[in-house]
Amino acid sequence: MRDKMYSSELLQRAIEALASLPGIGQRTAYRLALHLLNQPPSYTEEIASALLNFRQKIHRCLHCHHISDEEVCAICRDPQRDSGTICVVESIRDVFSIESTGSYRGHYHVLGGVISPINDVGPEDLYIEDLIKRVEGQEVREVILALSATIEGDTTMQYLARLLRPHVERVSFISRGVAFGGELEYADEWTIAQAIRFRRPIEDFALTPRAEDEE
Amino acid sequence: MRIKDLHIRFYKNLKDIRWPLAEGIHYITGPNGIGKTNLLDSLYFLATGKSYFTPKSLYDVIHYDSDFMRIQWQSYFEAQWVPFVIKLTRGQSLSIERYGKPFERRVDYVGMHPVVLIAPDDIYNFKHSASERRRWIDAALSMMDVEYLTKLRQHNRLLRQRNALLRRAEHASEEVYRLLDAYDMQLWPLVRYLYQQRQRYLHALIPHIQSYYRRISSQAERVEVHYQSEVAVDDYLLNMSQRREEDLRFQRTSYGIHRDDIYCTIDSRPMKGHASQGQWKSFILAFKMAQYRYMAHSVGHLPLLLIDDIFAKLDRNRVHALFEILLSDSFGQVFITDTDKERMRELLKDFGASNLEGYDMTMGALTPVAL
């Protein structure tokens, strides 16, 4: 039925490709394709080459796994930044969120997710080993755990805290300015800035009293 | 709390029902299959966002000929009538609106309309299923206390993650133990809280259950309920760690409040094996009425009471006793369904109270019954 609608297989394929993107439906894809058609071919070539370049040449930073144009990302290369502090986050989007607050001058470590056995994600599926190697190999005073305030985020923070404590002077987690059940990505900048500023040592972890605290 | 101007569209087999609603008791009769139970279920859905009878499959509440269902009504809160709408479209999430503005989180809505429902299957379910018995406690506490609901959800999520880990782990390793530590540490404060709340609640129900039981059965036996748990809250972490190897072998969590139960006795003997059918019926009714009374006290206004087709299962004396309770104690809006029109006429005549209204349900309409 669609073949009849467009009477061009080339147009059809362009629409299907565009419509496979999140947030773009058939109608929008159709409009975008016609728009490209109305512009000179160089316009489409520029878009296509920008996307191809982006996708093929973008790296994951060797140290922190943030996206980077080179082997090591701009944040890890910046001599002005404090390499003695590492902020651990779930995804690159969280790096952007924290960076946009301008309130943090240390390094990052992108885990690539949180531990969730229901979704078949275990510690071995995340960049946890790399993180441990980093804190063993370089002088790190503090690791800040900045994961989402969810069951899965909390579990991952607890797990990491145990692994990190022998190697790092101070392991902290971001303050709970972020509502429970809230993803870091969706929180406003002020909330994130407050949460970074008022981080607390992991011993105070609000949700998780330990056996010795009770006695 | 009171509701009025109910308008139901495509809820199960109810295509289009408009019902102004009165105060007091609504007694609804009509033939089987006309939708009396669905009518009560729609009221339960309005209160909880869930069906009582088909809680697991959300879209089953939508009429098979329709893509959506909608329940619209007004509730009396703080001296004014507030319009509410619940909408559900196939493939989409449930939307609940007040003054046309959707609630962002379900927890903000839950508990605004407290409700107790009594159904014929309750007797069988309570007798035979421990998970059903736990559901009776959890549903009531969740309705009265958002903190309980939130913590119960966190607990259940942690437990699912823990069980998924146990299934996923091929063998015990340091890594698996470290993760189990992380789950158990988070579970502990939740287990402690939920355990204490359940125990306190059940304990508080006892005097109400005993008083209602005496009035319904007119017998002198003494019934009691006990919260039964193998969990020792103070040694929770120790017990959890001792059971790890067993848990890994059976790939599920063997210790915790997800296995707790209600233990019922009659004259100090277990009801199971010692209580007659009639005693069970009186007990279940008394239990639900006690839940109603406690809820009314706890939330500070009268919940909806929904009684679905149980008179057929009760003898004349129990029906009369129940009616006397409904008319003498304070209840808010009560909805009773029955297939027996004669029984309704007789009861309306016997009790003839001013806040008691009969309705005849036919396909798509409710007609007041004049005596």
Side-chain angles (χ1 to χ4, degrees):
Chain A
M1 191 165 150
R2 265 182 221 157
D3 293 349
K4 258 186 214 160
M5 264 172 71
Y6 300 126
S7 72
S8 155
E9 207 173 305
L10 291 171
L11 175 62
Q12 165 102 27
R13 272 170 54 197
I15 290 172
E16 272 170 18
L18 288 167
S20 71
L21 293 167
I24 296 191
Q26 282 285 330
R27 283 170 67 114
T28 311
Y30 169 73
R31 272 182 40 232
L32 291 173
L34 286 194
H35 177 74
L36 293 174
L37 198 58
N38 285 330
Q39 307 296 318
S42 60
Y43 177 76
T44 308
E45 275 161 23
E46 265 170 46
I47 294 176
S49 84
L51 289 176
L52 266 179
N53 257 324
F54 160 67
R55 192 60 195 91
Q56 287 174 347
K57 296 193 180 151
I58 200 114
H59 283 81
R60 286 299 191 128
C61 172
L62 207 58
H63 301 314
C64 71
H65 301 285
H66 187 44
I67 53 162
S68 169
D69 297 355
E70 293 168 37
E71 269 206 342
V72 176
C73 76
I75 294 173
C76 288
R77 273 184 288 135
D78 186 349
Q80 301 289 317
R81 299 192 71 124
D82 173 17
S83 64
T85 310
I86 295 179
C87 180
V88 178
V89 295
E90 240 171 278
S91 73
I92 56 170
R93 281 186 289 203
D94 300 329
V95 177
F96 293 131
S97 300
I98 295 173
E99 280 300 288
S100 72
T101 68
S103 64
Y104 177 65
R105 297 299 298 161
H107 283 201
Y108 289 95
H109 190 88
V110 178
L111 281 183
V114 282
I115 299 170
S116 175
I118 290 175
N119 302 314
D120 206 24
V121 180
E124 71 282 3
D125 301 308
L126 308 171
Y127 295 117
I128 290 176
E129 258 189 67
D130 290 30
L131 176 64
I132 304 304
K133 277 189 196 133
R134 271 180 91 183
V135 299
E136 281 172 348
Q138 77 189 68
E139 200 56 41
V140 177
R141 293 185 317 279
E142 177 170 8
V143 172
I144 305 168
L145 302 173
L147 305 180
S148 299
T150 57
I151 296 287
E152 290 72 27
D154 279 359
T155 303
T156 310
M157 287 200 267
Q158 288 231 1
Y159 181 85
L160 288 176
R162 282 281 211 82
L163 283 175
L164 291 167
R165 266 204 203 109
H167 307 290
V168 185
E169 208 174 295
R170 191 172 141 96
V171 179
S172 55
F173 69 101
I174 56 169
S175 159
R176 290 297 161 84
V178 186
F180 197 89
E183 310 282 342
L184 206 53
E185 193 193 331
Y186 295 114
D188 60 75
E189 288 178 10
W190 187 86
T191 310
I192 297 173
Q194 292 296 302
I196 287 279
R197 226 183 117 205
F198 295 111
R199 64 182 184 269
R200 284 179 296 157
I202 196 83
E203 281 78 17
D204 298 341
F205 207 28
L207 266 179
T208 53
R210 283 168 301 125
E212 56 265 37
D213 295 339
E214 289 295 306
E215 285 152 21
Chain B
M1 201 266 311
R2 220 196 110 188
I3 61 171
K4 71 168 187 181
D5 296 342
L6 182 68
H7 185 193
I8 302 165
R9 292 284 281 160
F10 300 118
Y11 189 89
K12 297 191 171 173
N13 77 339
L14 308 172
K15 277 192 172 167
D16 191 353
I17 296 265
R18 282 170 193 274
W19 199 10
L21 298 183
E23 285 179 77
I25 302 174
H26 306 69
Y27 198 137
I28 305 139
T29 60
N32 281 318
I34 207 80
K36 296 188 300 299
T37 298
N38 293 341
L39 185 66
L40 295 199
D41 199 36
S42 75
L43 292 169
Y44 189 85
F45 196 99
L46 162 173
T48 61
K50 261 188 187 171
S51 161
Y52 187 82
F53 299 96
T54 51
K56 293 208 169 123
S57 42
L58 183 62
Y59 299 121
D60 280 5
V61 301
I62 302 174
H63 189 284
Y64 61 89
D65 262 352
S66 173
D67 287 334
F68 76 99
M69 75 88 183
R70 189 178 66 222
I71 307 171
Q72 219 171 317
W73 76 99
Q74 299 202 52
S75 299
Y76 198 70
F77 285 117
E78 284 155 21
Q80 58 182 329
W81 288 102
V82 180
F84 284 87
V85 184
I86 287 189
K87 282 185 287 198
L88 180 66
T89 305
R90 279 185 210 281
Q92 295 180 16
S93 57
L94 186 69
S95 144
I96 308 176
E97 294 173 2
R98 174 176 50 180
Y99 287 121
K101 199 171 166 284
F103 286 85
E104 275 176 26
R105 303 179 312 162
R106 180 75 70 81
V107 290
D108 296 333
Y109 178 75
V110 170
M112 292 185 89
H113 299 84
V115 65
V116 172
L117 192 148
I118 307 176
D121 287 346
D122 284 348
I123 299 164
Y124 180 89
N125 289 341
F126 188 92
K127 262 174 91 170
H128 295 282
S129 156
S131 70
E132 191 73 13
R133 291 190 284 272
R134 276 192 300 276
R135 185 162 87 103
W136 287 27
I137 300 181
D138 285 340
L141 281 169
S142 298
M143 222 178 282
M144 293 183 284
D145 184 358
V146 172
E147 190 183 355
Y148 188 89
L149 174 65
T150 312
K151 289 192 164 162
L152 181 66
R153 283 190 183 169
Q154 289 171 6
H155 170 270
N156 293 348
R157 176 88 188 166
L158 279 164
L159 202 61
R160 279 212 305 282
Q161 287 285 19
R162 193 183 193 273
N163 285 335
L165 169 67
L166 292 169
R167 279 195 303 276
R168 201 173 175 271
E170 276 152 24
H171 49 82
S173 67
E174 209 182 312
E175 182 190 293
V176 169
Y177 275 47
R178 204 177 287 125
L179 255 180
L180 286 172
D181 276 347
Y183 286 124
D184 297 352
M185 298 275 222
Q186 292 178 83
L187 277 166
W188 184 31
L190 299 172
V191 162
R192 173 197 295 267
Y193 174 85
L194 297 169
Y195 173 94
Q196 284 167 349
Q197 293 299 311
R198 284 174 174 182
Q199 194 170 44
R200 199 170 296 159
Y201 172 64
L202 214 52
H203 192 74
L205 281 187
I206 294 175
H208 296 296
I209 295 175
Q210 289 173 342
S211 135
Y212 281 124
Y213 183 89
R214 273 194 302 274
R215 290 165 73 184
I216 293 165
S217 73
S218 56
Q219 299 293 316
E221 310 109 358
R222 184 180 173 78
V223 288
E224 265 177 4
V225 291
H226 309 270
Y227 183 53
Q228 201 173 36
S229 176
E230 68 168 337
V231 172
V233 174
D234 292 329
D235 294 326
Y236 178 76
L237 287 177
L238 181 67
N239 278 299
M240 286 297 269
S241 66
Q242 280 172 353
R243 301 230 191 170
R244 276 185 187 172
E245 274 166 37
E246 188 189 325
D247 285 0
L248 277 163
R249 197 163 52 244
F250 293 105
Q251 305 193 330
R252 61 188 157 79
T253 304
S254 62
Y255 186 76
I257 55 163
H258 58 292
R259 295 162 56 92
D260 290 355
D261 204 350
I262 305 174
Y263 175 68
C264 315
T265 59
I266 182 159
D267 284 337
S268 305
R269 291 187 298 179
M271 280 196 68
K272 216 166 200 174
H274 287 97
S276 70
Q277 278 298 331
Q279 287 169 329
W280 269 110
K281 286 177 189 171
S282 301
F283 173 79
I284 298 295
L285 272 180
F287 192 98
K288 287 269 176 158
M289 300 302 262
Q291 285 195 300
Y292 183 96
R293 195 48 58 210
Y294 182 89
M295 199 178 282
H297 174 73
S298 158
V299 301
H301 54 256
L302 295 168
L304 299 174
L305 180 60
L306 314 173
I307 301 177
D308 184 38
D309 199 25
I310 58 160
F311 289 174
K313 294 213 167 195
L314 302 177
D315 58 62
R316 207 183 130 85
N317 289 340
R318 284 194 179 84
V319 172
H320 273 247
L322 184 61
F323 247 80
E324 265 162 31
I325 291 170
L326 290 177
L327 288 167
S328 63
D329 295 10
S330 76
F331 285 87
Q333 284 167 307
V334 180
F335 298 82
I336 300 166
T337 65
D338 196 354
T339 42
D340 189 343
K341 206 175 279 186
E342 278 316 302
R343 178 164 44 217
M344 175 180 76
R345 286 186 176 282
E346 191 190 316
L347 280 163
L348 290 184
K349 231 177 258 163
D350 287 359
F351 288 94
S354 56
N355 60 346
L356 178 63
E357 309 233 2
Y359 293 89
D360 201 9
M361 190 169 183
T362 52
M363 205 50 97
L366 287 148
T367 327
V369 177
L371 281 173

